[in-house]
Coordinates of all heavy atoms in Angstrom, one line a residue:
A1 N -45.2 -34.3 77.6 CA -46.2 -34.0 78.5 C -47.1 -35.2 78.9 O -47.3 -35.3 80.1 CB -47.1 -32.8 78.0
Y2 N -47.4 -35.9 77.9 CA -48.3 -37.1 78.2 C -47.5 -38.2 79.1 O -48.0 -38.8 80.0 CB -48.8 -37.8 76.9 CG -49.9 -37.0 76.2 CD1 -49.7 -36.6 74.9 CD2 -51.0 -36.6 76.9 CE1 -50.6 -35.9 74.2 CE2 -52.1 -36.0 76.2 CZ -51.8 -35.5 74.8 OH -52.7 -34.7 74.2
L3 N -46.2 -38.4 78.8 CA -45.4 -39.4 79.6 C -45.3 -38.8 81.0 O -45.6 -39.6 81.9 CB -44.1 -39.5 78.9 CG -43.2 -40.4 79.5 CD1 -43.7 -41.9 79.6 CD2 -41.8 -40.5 78.8
L4 N -45.0 -37.5 81.2 CA -44.9 -37.0 82.6 C -46.2 -37.0 83.3 O -46.2 -37.1 84.6 CB -44.3 -35.6 82.5 CG -42.9 -35.5 81.9 CD1 -42.5 -34.0 81.9 CD2 -41.9 -36.2 82.7
S5 N -47.3 -36.9 82.7 CA -48.6 -36.9 83.4 C -49.1 -38.3 83.4 O -50.3 -38.6 83.8 CB -49.6 -36.0 82.6 OG -49.9 -36.5 81.3
E6 N -48.3 -39.3 83.1 CA -48.8 -40.7 83.1 C -49.9 -41.1 82.3 O -50.6 -42.1 82.5 CB -48.9 -41.1 84.6 CG -47.7 -41.0 85.4 CD -47.9 -41.5 86.9 OE1 -48.9 -41.9 87.3 OE2 -46.9 -41.3 87.6
N7 N -50.0 -40.3 81.2 CA -51.1 -40.7 80.2 C -50.3 -41.5 79.1 O -50.1 -41.0 78.0 CB -51.7 -39.4 79.7 CG -52.9 -39.7 78.8 OD1 -53.1 -40.8 78.3 ND2 -53.7 -38.6 78.5
Y8 N -50.0 -42.7 79.4 CA -49.1 -43.5 78.5 C -49.8 -43.9 77.2 O -49.0 -43.8 76.2 CB -48.7 -44.7 79.3 CG -48.0 -44.5 80.6 CD1 -48.5 -45.0 81.8 CD2 -47.0 -43.6 80.6 CE1 -47.8 -44.8 83.0 CE2 -46.3 -43.3 81.8 CZ -46.7 -43.9 83.0 OH -46.0 -43.6 84.2
E9 N -51.0 -44.1 77.2 CA -51.6 -44.4 75.9 C -51.5 -43.3 74.8 O -51.3 -43.4 73.7 CB -53.1 -44.9 76.0 CG -53.2 -46.3 76.6 CD -52.4 -47.4 76.0 OE1 -52.4 -47.4 74.8 OE2 -51.9 -48.2 76.7
Q10 N -51.7 -42.0 75.4 CA -51.5 -40.9 74.5 C -50.1 -40.6 74.2 O -49.9 -40.3 73.0 CB -52.2 -39.5 75.2 CG -53.7 -39.5 75.2 CD -54.2 -39.4 73.8 OE1 -54.6 -40.3 73.2 NE2 -54.1 -38.1 73.3
A11 N -49.2 -40.9 75.1 CA -47.8 -40.8 74.8 C -47.5 -41.8 73.6 O -46.8 -41.4 72.7 CB -47.0 -41.0 76.0
L12 N -48.0 -43.0 73.7 CA -47.7 -44.0 72.7 C -48.2 -43.6 71.4 O -47.5 -43.6 70.4 CB -48.3 -45.4 73.0 CG -47.7 -46.2 74.1 CD1 -48.5 -47.5 74.3 CD2 -46.3 -46.6 73.5
N13 N -49.3 -43.1 71.3 CA -50.0 -42.6 70.0 C -49.1 -41.5 69.4 O -48.8 -41.5 68.1 CB -51.4 -42.1 70.3 CG -52.4 -43.2 70.6 OD1 -52.1 -44.4 70.1 ND2 -53.4 -42.8 71.2
H14 N -48.6 -40.5 70.2 CA -47.9 -39.4 69.6 C -46.5 -39.9 69.2 O -46.0 -39.5 68.1 CB -47.8 -38.2 70.6 CG -49.2 -37.5 70.6 ND1 -49.5 -36.6 69.6 CD2 -50.1 -37.6 71.5 CE1 -50.8 -36.2 70.0 NE2 -51.2 -36.8 71.0
Y15 N -45.9 -40.7 70.0 CA -44.5 -41.3 69.7 C -44.5 -42.1 68.4 O -43.7 -42.0 67.6 CB -43.9 -42.0 70.8 CG -43.3 -41.1 71.9 CD1 -43.6 -41.4 73.2 CD2 -42.5 -40.1 71.6 CE1 -43.0 -40.5 74.3 CE2 -42.0 -39.3 72.6 CZ -42.3 -39.5 74.0 OH -41.7 -38.8 75.0
R16 N -45.6 -42.9 68.2 CA -45.8 -43.8 67.0 C -45.9 -42.9 65.8 O -45.4 -43.1 64.8 CB -47.0 -44.6 67.2 CG -46.7 -45.9 68.0 CD -47.9 -46.8 67.9 NE -48.1 -47.7 69.1 CZ -49.1 -47.8 70.0 NH1 -50.2 -47.0 69.8 NH2 -49.1 -48.6 70.9
Q17 N -46.8 -41.9 66.0 CA -47.0 -41.0 64.9 C -45.6 -40.3 64.4 O -45.4 -40.1 63.2 CB -48.0 -39.9 65.2 CG -49.5 -40.4 65.2 CD -50.5 -39.3 65.6 OE1 -50.1 -38.4 66.3 NE2 -51.6 -39.3 65.0
A18 N -44.9 -39.8 65.4 CA -43.6 -39.1 65.1 C -42.7 -40.1 64.5 O -42.0 -39.7 63.5 CB -43.1 -38.6 66.5
L19 N -42.7 -41.3 65.0 CA -41.7 -42.3 64.4 C -42.2 -42.6 62.9 O -41.3 -42.6 62.0 CB -41.7 -43.5 65.2 CG -40.8 -44.6 64.7 CD1 -39.3 -44.2 64.8 CD2 -41.0 -46.0 65.6
Q20 N -43.5 -42.8 62.7 CA -43.9 -43.1 61.4 C -43.6 -41.9 60.3 O -43.2 -42.1 59.2 CB -45.4 -43.4 61.4 CG -45.7 -44.6 61.8 CD -47.2 -44.9 62.0 OE1 -48.0 -43.9 61.9 NE2 -47.7 -46.0 62.4
L21 N -43.8 -40.7 60.8 CA -43.5 -39.6 60.0 C -41.9 -39.4 59.8 O -41.5 -39.2 58.6 CB -43.9 -38.2 60.6 CG -45.5 -38.1 60.7 CD1 -45.8 -36.8 61.6 CD2 -45.9 -37.8 59.3
Q22 N -41.1 -39.7 60.7 CA -39.7 -39.6 60.6 C -39.2 -40.7 59.6 O -38.2 -40.4 58.9 CB -39.1 -39.7 62.0 CG -37.6 -39.5 62.0 CD -37.2 -38.1 61.5 OE1 -37.8 -37.1 62.0 NE2 -36.3 -37.9 60.6
E23 N -39.8 -41.9 59.6 CA -39.4 -42.9 58.7 C -39.6 -42.6 57.3 O -39.0 -43.1 56.4 CB -40.2 -44.2 59.1 CG -39.7 -44.8 60.4 CD -40.6 -46.0 60.8 OE1 -41.7 -46.1 60.4 OE2 -40.0 -46.8 61.5
Q24 N -40.5 -41.7 57.0 CA -40.8 -41.3 55.6 C -39.9 -40.1 55.1 O -39.8 -39.9 53.9 CB -42.3 -40.7 55.5 CG -43.2 -41.7 55.8 CD -44.6 -41.3 55.9 OE1 -45.0 -40.3 55.5 NE2 -45.5 -42.1 56.5
I25 N -39.2 -39.5 55.9 CA -38.3 -38.4 55.5 C -36.9 -38.9 54.9 O -36.4 -39.9 55.5 CB -38.0 -37.5 56.8 CG1 -39.3 -36.8 57.3 CG2 -37.0 -36.4 56.5 CD1 -39.2 -36.0 58.6
R26 N -36.6 -38.3 53.8 CA -35.3 -38.6 53.3 C -34.5 -37.3 53.1 O -34.9 -36.3 52.9 CB -35.5 -39.2 51.9 CG -36.3 -40.5 51.9 CD -35.5 -41.6 52.4 NE -36.2 -42.9 52.5 CZ -36.8 -43.4 53.5 NH1 -36.7 -42.9 54.7 NH2 -37.4 -44.6 53.4
P27 N -33.2 -37.4 53.4 CA -32.5 -38.6 53.9 C -32.8 -39.1 55.3 O -33.4 -38.3 56.1 CB -31.0 -38.1 53.8 CG -31.0 -36.7 54.0 CD -32.3 -36.2 53.4
V28 N -32.6 -40.2 55.6 CA -33.0 -40.8 56.9 C -32.2 -40.1 58.0 O -30.9 -40.0 57.9 CB -32.8 -42.4 56.9 CG1 -33.0 -42.9 58.4 CG2 -33.6 -43.1 55.9
N29 N -32.9 -39.7 59.1 CA -32.3 -39.2 60.3 C -32.3 -40.2 61.4 O -33.1 -40.4 62.0 CB -33.0 -37.8 60.7 CG -32.4 -37.2 61.9 OD1 -31.6 -37.8 62.6 ND2 -32.7 -36.0 62.2
H30 N -31.1 -41.0 61.4 CA -31.0 -42.1 62.4 C -31.1 -41.7 63.7 O -31.6 -42.4 64.6 CB -29.8 -42.9 62.0 CG -29.8 -43.6 60.7 ND1 -29.2 -43.2 59.6 CD2 -30.4 -44.8 60.4 CE1 -29.3 -44.0 58.6 NE2 -30.1 -45.0 59.1
Q31 N -30.6 -40.5 64.1 CA -30.7 -40.0 65.5 C -32.1 -39.7 65.9 O -32.4 -40.1 67.0 CB -29.8 -38.7 65.6 CG -29.7 -38.2 67.0 CD -28.7 -37.0 67.0 OE1 -28.3 -36.4 66.1 NE2 -28.3 -36.7 68.3
A32 N -32.8 -39.1 65.0 CA -34.3 -38.9 65.4 C -35.0 -40.3 65.6 O -35.8 -40.5 66.4 CB -34.9 -38.1 64.3
L33 N -34.7 -41.2 64.6 CA -35.4 -42.5 64.7 C -35.0 -43.2 66.1 O -35.8 -43.9 66.7 CB -35.0 -43.4 63.6 CG -35.6 -43.0 62.2 CD1 -35.0 -43.8 61.0 CD2 -37.1 -43.1 62.2
A34 N -33.8 -43.1 66.4 CA -33.3 -43.7 67.7 C -34.0 -43.0 68.9 O -34.4 -43.7 69.8 CB -31.7 -43.5 67.7
S35 N -34.2 -41.7 68.8 CA -34.8 -41.0 69.9 C -36.2 -41.4 70.1 O -36.7 -41.7 71.2 CB -34.7 -39.5 69.7 OG -35.4 -38.8 70.6
F36 N -37.0 -41.5 69.0 CA -38.4 -41.9 69.1 C -38.5 -43.3 69.5 O -39.4 -43.6 70.2 CB -39.1 -41.6 67.8 CG -39.2 -40.2 67.4 CD1 -38.9 -39.7 66.1 CD2 -39.7 -39.3 68.4 CE1 -39.0 -38.3 65.9 CE2 -39.9 -37.9 68.0 CZ -39.5 -37.4 66.8
S37 N -37.6 -44.2 69.0 CA -37.7 -45.6 69.4 C -37.3 -45.8 70.8 O -38.1 -46.5 71.6 CB -36.7 -46.5 68.6 OG -37.1 -46.4 67.2
N38 N -36.4 -45.0 71.4 CA -36.1 -45.0 72.8 C -37.2 -44.5 73.6 O -37.6 -45.1 74.6 CB -34.8 -44.2 73.0 CG -34.2 -44.6 74.4 OD1 -34.0 -45.6 74.8 ND2 -34.2 -43.5 75.2
S39 N -37.9 -43.5 73.1 CA -39.0 -42.9 73.9 C -40.2 -44.0 73.9 O -40.8 -44.1 74.9 CB -39.5 -41.7 73.3 OG -38.5 -40.7 73.4
L40 N -40.4 -44.6 72.8 CA -41.4 -45.7 72.8 C -41.1 -46.7 73.8 O -42.0 -47.3 74.5 CB -41.7 -46.2 71.4 CG -42.5 -45.4 70.5 CD1 -42.3 -45.9 69.0 CD2 -44.0 -45.5 70.8
G41 N -39.8 -47.2 73.8 CA -39.4 -48.1 74.7 C -39.7 -47.8 76.1 O -40.1 -48.6 77.0
N42 N -39.4 -46.5 76.5 CA -39.7 -46.0 77.8 C -41.1 -46.0 78.2 O -41.5 -46.5 79.4 CB -39.1 -44.6 78.0 CG -37.6 -44.5 78.1 OD1 -37.0 -45.5 78.6 ND2 -37.1 -43.4 77.5
V43 N -42.0 -45.7 77.4 CA -43.4 -45.8 77.5 C -43.8 -47.2 77.8 O -44.6 -47.5 78.7 CB -44.3 -45.2 76.5 CG1 -45.8 -45.3 76.7 CG2 -44.0 -43.7 76.3
Y44 N -43.4 -48.1 76.8 CA -43.8 -49.5 77.0 C -43.3 -50.1 78.4 O -43.9 -50.9 78.9 CB -43.3 -50.3 75.9 CG -44.1 -50.2 74.7 CD1 -43.5 -49.8 73.4 CD2 -45.5 -50.5 74.6 CE1 -44.3 -49.7 72.3 CE2 -46.3 -50.4 73.5 CZ -45.6 -50.0 72.3 OH -46.4 -49.9 71.1
N45 N -42.1 -49.7 78.8 CA -41.5 -50.0 80.0 C -42.4 -49.7 81.2 O -42.8 -50.4 82.1 CB -40.1 -49.5 80.2 CG -39.4 -50.2 81.3 OD1 -39.4 -51.4 81.4 ND2 -38.6 -49.3 82.1
K46 N -42.9 -48.4 81.1 CA -43.8 -47.9 82.2 C -45.2 -48.7 82.2 O -45.7 -48.8 83.3 CB -44.1 -46.4 81.9 CG -43.0 -45.4 82.1 CD -42.8 -45.2 83.6 CE -41.8 -44.1 83.7 NZ -41.5 -43.8 85.1
L47 N -45.5 -49.2 81.0 CA -46.8 -49.9 81.0 C -46.5 -51.5 81.2 O -47.4 -52.2 81.2 CB -47.4 -49.9 79.6 CG -48.0 -48.5 79.2 CD1 -48.3 -48.4 77.7 CD2 -49.3 -48.3 80.1
Q48 N -45.4 -51.8 81.6 CA -44.9 -53.1 82.0 C -45.1 -54.1 80.7 O -45.2 -55.2 80.8 CB -45.6 -53.7 83.1 CG -45.2 -52.9 84.4 CD -46.0 -53.3 85.7 OE1 -46.7 -54.2 85.6 NE2 -45.5 -52.8 86.8
R49 N -45.0 -53.5 79.5 CA -45.0 -54.3 78.3 C -43.6 -54.5 77.8 O -43.0 -53.8 76.9 CB -45.9 -53.6 77.2 CG -47.3 -53.6 77.7 CD -48.2 -52.8 76.8 NE -48.1 -53.1 75.4 CZ -48.7 -52.5 74.4 NH1 -49.6 -51.5 74.7 NH2 -48.7 -52.8 73.1
Y50 N -42.8 -55.3 78.5 CA -41.4 -55.3 78.4 C -41.0 -55.9 77.1 O -39.9 -55.5 76.6 CB -40.9 -56.2 79.6 CG -41.2 -55.7 80.9 CD1 -41.9 -56.3 81.8 CD2 -40.8 -54.4 81.2 CE1 -42.3 -55.9 83.0 CE2 -41.2 -53.8 82.4 CZ -41.9 -54.6 83.4 OH -42.3 -53.9 84.6
A51 N -41.7 -56.9 76.5 CA -41.2 -57.3 75.1 C -41.3 -56.1 74.1 O -40.3 -56.1 73.3 CB -42.2 -58.5 74.7
D52 N -42.3 -55.4 74.2 CA -42.5 -54.2 73.3 C -41.3 -53.2 73.6 O -40.7 -52.6 72.6 CB -43.8 -53.5 73.4 CG -44.9 -54.4 72.9 OD1 -44.7 -55.1 71.8 OD2 -46.0 -54.4 73.5
A53 N -41.1 -53.0 74.8 CA -40.0 -52.1 75.3 C -38.6 -52.5 74.7 O -37.9 -51.7 74.2 CB -39.9 -51.9 76.8
L54 N -38.4 -53.7 74.9 CA -37.2 -54.3 74.3 C -36.9 -54.2 72.9 O -35.9 -53.7 72.4 CB -37.0 -55.8 74.8 CG -35.7 -56.5 74.3 CD1 -34.5 -55.9 75.0 CD2 -35.8 -57.9 74.7
T55 N -38.1 -54.4 72.1 CA -38.0 -54.2 70.7 C -37.6 -52.8 70.3 O -36.8 -52.6 69.4 CB -39.4 -54.5 70.1 OG1 -39.7 -56.0 70.3 CG2 -39.4 -54.3 68.6
H56 N -38.2 -51.8 71.0 CA -37.9 -50.5 70.6 C -36.5 -50.0 71.1 O -35.8 -49.2 70.4 CB -39.0 -49.6 71.2 CG -40.2 -49.7 70.3 ND1 -40.3 -49.1 69.0 CD2 -41.3 -50.4 70.5 CE1 -41.6 -49.4 68.6 NE2 -42.2 -50.2 69.5
F57 N -36.1 -50.5 72.3 CA -34.8 -50.2 72.8 C -33.7 -50.8 71.8 O -32.7 -50.1 71.5 CB -34.6 -50.8 74.2 CG -35.2 -50.0 75.3 CD1 -35.8 -50.8 76.3 CD2 -35.4 -48.7 75.3 CE1 -36.4 -50.1 77.3 CE2 -36.1 -48.0 76.2 CZ -36.6 -48.6 77.3
Q58 N -33.9 -51.9 71.4 CA -33.0 -52.6 70.5 C -32.9 -51.8 69.0 O -31.9 -51.7 68.4 CB -33.3 -54.1 70.1 CG -33.0 -54.9 71.3 CD -33.5 -56.3 71.2 OE1 -34.5 -56.6 70.6 NE2 -32.8 -57.3 72.0
A59 N -34.1 -51.3 68.6 CA -34.2 -50.5 67.5 C -33.4 -49.3 67.6 O -32.7 -48.8 66.7 CB -35.7 -50.2 67.1
A60 N -33.5 -48.6 68.7 CA -32.7 -47.4 69.0 C -31.3 -47.7 68.9 O -30.5 -46.9 68.3 CB -33.0 -46.9 70.4
V61 N -30.8 -48.8 69.5 CA -29.3 -49.0 69.3 C -29.0 -49.3 67.9 O -28.1 -48.8 67.3 CB -28.9 -50.4 70.1 CG1 -27.6 -50.9 69.8 CG2 -29.1 -50.2 71.7
K62 N -29.8 -50.0 67.1 CA -29.6 -50.2 65.6 C -29.5 -48.9 64.9 O -28.5 -48.7 64.2 CB -30.6 -51.0 65.1 CG -30.4 -51.3 63.6 CD -31.6 -52.1 63.1 CE -32.5 -51.0 62.4 NZ -33.6 -51.4 61.7
Y63 N -30.3 -48.0 65.1 CA -30.4 -46.6 64.5 C -29.1 -45.9 64.9 O -28.5 -45.3 64.0 CB -31.6 -45.9 64.8 CG -32.9 -46.4 64.2 CD1 -34.0 -46.5 65.0 CD2 -32.9 -46.7 62.9 CE1 -35.2 -47.0 64.4 CE2 -34.1 -47.2 62.4 CZ -35.2 -47.4 63.1 OH -36.4 -47.9 62.6
Q64 N -28.8 -45.8 66.1 CA -27.6 -45.2 66.6 C -26.3 -45.8 66.0 O -25.4 -45.0 65.7 CB -27.4 -45.1 68.1 CG -28.5 -44.4 68.9 CD -28.4 -42.9 68.8 OE1 -27.8 -42.4 67.9 NE2 -28.9 -42.3 69.8
K65 N -26.3 -47.1 65.8 CA -25.0 -47.7 65.1 C -24.9 -47.3 63.7 O -23.8 -47.4 63.1 CB -25.1 -49.2 65.3 CG -24.8 -49.7 66.6 CD -24.8 -51.2 66.7 CE -24.2 -51.6 68.1 NZ -23.8 -53.0 68.1
E66 N -25.9 -46.6 63.1 CA -25.8 -46.2 61.7 C -24.9 -45.0 61.6 O -24.4 -44.7 60.5 CB -27.1 -45.8 61.1 CG -28.1 -47.0 61.0 CD -27.6 -48.0 59.9 OE1 -27.0 -47.6 58.9 OE2 -27.7 -49.3 60.1
Y67 N -24.7 -44.2 62.7 CA -23.9 -43.0 62.6 C -22.9 -42.7 63.7 O -22.1 -41.8 63.6 CB -24.8 -41.8 62.3 CG -25.5 -41.3 63.5 CD1 -25.0 -40.3 64.3 CD2 -26.7 -41.9 64.0 CE1 -25.6 -39.8 65.5 CE2 -27.3 -41.5 65.1 CZ -26.8 -40.5 65.9 OH -27.5 -40.0 66.9
L68 N -23.0 -43.5 64.8 CA -22.0 -43.3 65.8 C -21.1 -44.6 66.0 O -21.6 -45.7 65.7 CB -22.9 -43.3 67.2 CG -23.6 -42.0 67.4 CD1 -24.5 -42.1 68.7 CD2 -22.8 -40.8 67.4
P69 N -19.9 -44.3 66.4 CA -18.9 -45.4 66.7 C -19.4 -46.2 67.9 O -20.1 -45.7 68.8 CB -17.6 -44.8 66.9 CG -18.0 -43.4 67.4 CD -19.3 -43.0 66.7
D70 N -19.2 -47.5 67.9 CA -19.6 -48.4 69.1 C -19.2 -47.9 70.4 O -19.8 -48.2 71.5 CB -19.1 -49.8 68.9 CG -19.9 -50.4 67.7 OD1 -20.9 -50.0 67.4 OD2 -19.3 -51.5 67.2
S71 N -18.0 -47.1 70.5 CA -17.5 -46.6 71.7 C -18.2 -45.3 72.2 O -17.9 -44.8 73.3 CB -16.0 -46.4 71.6 OG -15.7 -45.4 70.6
H72 N -19.2 -44.9 71.5 CA -19.8 -43.5 71.8 C -20.6 -43.7 73.2 O -21.2 -44.8 73.4 CB -20.7 -43.1 70.8 CG -21.2 -41.6 70.9 ND1 -22.2 -41.2 71.7 CD2 -20.6 -40.5 70.2 CE1 -22.3 -39.9 71.7 NE2 -21.4 -39.5 70.8
P73 N -20.5 -42.7 74.1 CA -21.2 -42.8 75.4 C -22.6 -43.0 75.3 O -23.3 -43.4 76.3 CB -20.8 -41.5 76.1 CG -19.9 -40.7 75.2 CD -19.8 -41.5 73.9
T74 N -23.3 -42.5 74.2 CA -24.7 -42.8 74.0 C -25.2 -44.2 74.3 O -26.3 -44.5 74.8 CB -25.2 -42.2 72.7 OG1 -24.9 -40.8 72.6 CG2 -26.7 -42.6 72.4
F75 N -24.3 -45.1 73.9 CA -24.7 -46.5 74.0 C -24.7 -47.0 75.4 O -25.5 -47.9 75.7 CB -23.7 -47.4 73.2 CG -23.8 -47.2 71.7 CD1 -22.9 -46.5 71.0 CD2 -24.9 -47.7 71.0 CE1 -23.0 -46.4 69.6 CE2 -25.0 -47.6 69.6 CZ -24.2 -46.8 68.9
A76 N -24.1 -46.3 76.3 CA -24.2 -46.7 77.8 C -25.7 -46.6 78.2 O -26.2 -47.5 78.9 CB -23.2 -45.9 78.6
S77 N -26.3 -45.5 77.9 CA -27.7 -45.2 78.4 C -28.6 -46.2 77.6 O -29.6 -46.7 78.2 CB -28.1 -43.9 78.3 OG -28.1 -43.4 76.9
L78 N -28.4 -46.4 76.4 CA -29.2 -47.3 75.6 C -29.2 -48.8 76.0 O -30.2 -49.4 76.3 CB -28.9 -47.2 74.1 CG -29.2 -45.9 73.4 CD1 -28.6 -46.0 71.9 CD2 -30.6 -45.6 73.4
Y79 N -27.9 -49.2 76.3 CA -27.7 -50.6 76.8 C -28.3 -50.6 78.2 O -28.9 -51.8 78.6 CB -26.3 -51.1 76.7 CG -25.9 -51.3 75.3 CD1 -24.8 -50.8 74.8 CD2 -26.6 -52.2 74.5 CE1 -24.4 -51.0 73.5 CE2 -26.2 -52.5 73.3 CZ -25.1 -52.0 72.7 OH -24.7 -52.2 71.4
N80 N -28.3 -49.6 79.0 CA -28.8 -49.6 80.3 C -30.4 -49.9 80.3 O -30.9 -50.5 81.1 CB -28.5 -48.4 81.1 CG -29.0 -48.4 82.4 OD1 -28.6 -49.2 83.3 ND2 -29.8 -47.3 82.8
N81 N -31.0 -49.2 79.3 CA -32.4 -49.4 79.1 C -32.8 -50.9 78.8 O -33.8 -51.5 79.2 CB -33.0 -48.5 78.0 CG -33.0 -47.1 78.4 OD1 -33.0 -46.8 79.5 ND2 -33.2 -46.3 77.4
I82 N -31.9 -51.5 78.0 CA -32.1 -53.0 77.8 C -32.0 -53.8 79.0 O -32.7 -54.7 79.3 CB -31.3 -53.4 76.5 CG1 -31.6 -52.7 75.3 CG2 -31.3 -54.9 76.4 CD1 -30.7 -52.9 74.1

């Protein structure tokens, strides 16, 4: 909701919190980590903080590679963000 209403700072805060909580859960859910990282990248992109966006988009790819084959179609959208 914050992202859609262009309240980007609030969106960042909530995505960061979600990512931090997810990182503490065991076993690790790489798909959730990838999703939150990608969402953070999208917010940073909207804020024109491109270096931060790139960091999170690359993290999303790394997390997805933990459980998906390289040929999986999910990588097309992730690499498109980069």
Side-chain angles (χ1 to χ4, degrees):
Y2 288 121
L3 183 60
L4 293 175
S5 64
E6 298 182 1
N7 190 342
Y8 300 128
E9 291 303 323
Q10 282 295 98
L12 279 177
N13 288 334
H14 288 279
Y15 283 132
R16 281 189 203 119
Q17 286 178 327
L19 182 62
Q20 288 172 349
L21 289 170
Q22 189 62 49
E23 288 173 334
Q24 296 171 15
I25 296 172
R26 297 291 182 255
V28 175
N29 182 339
H30 292 99
Q31 187 173 14
L33 291 171
S35 176
F36 292 130
S37 294
N38 191 59
S39 294
L40 278 164
N42 285 326
V43 177
Y44 282 123
N45 196 43
K46 292 281 189 183
L47 290 169
Q48 298 179 352
R49 291 173 55 182
Y50 301 120
D52 292 324
L54 181 59
T55 297
H56 287 283
F57 289 143
Q58 289 172 330
V61 169
K62 183 187 94 174
Y63 291 131
Q64 293 285 27
K65 285 188 174 197
E66 292 294 324
Y67 75 98
L68 290 177
D70 289 340
S71 60
H72 195 277
T74 295
F75 289 108
S77 65
L78 292 175
Y79 286 127
N80 183 60
N81 287 342
I82 292 173

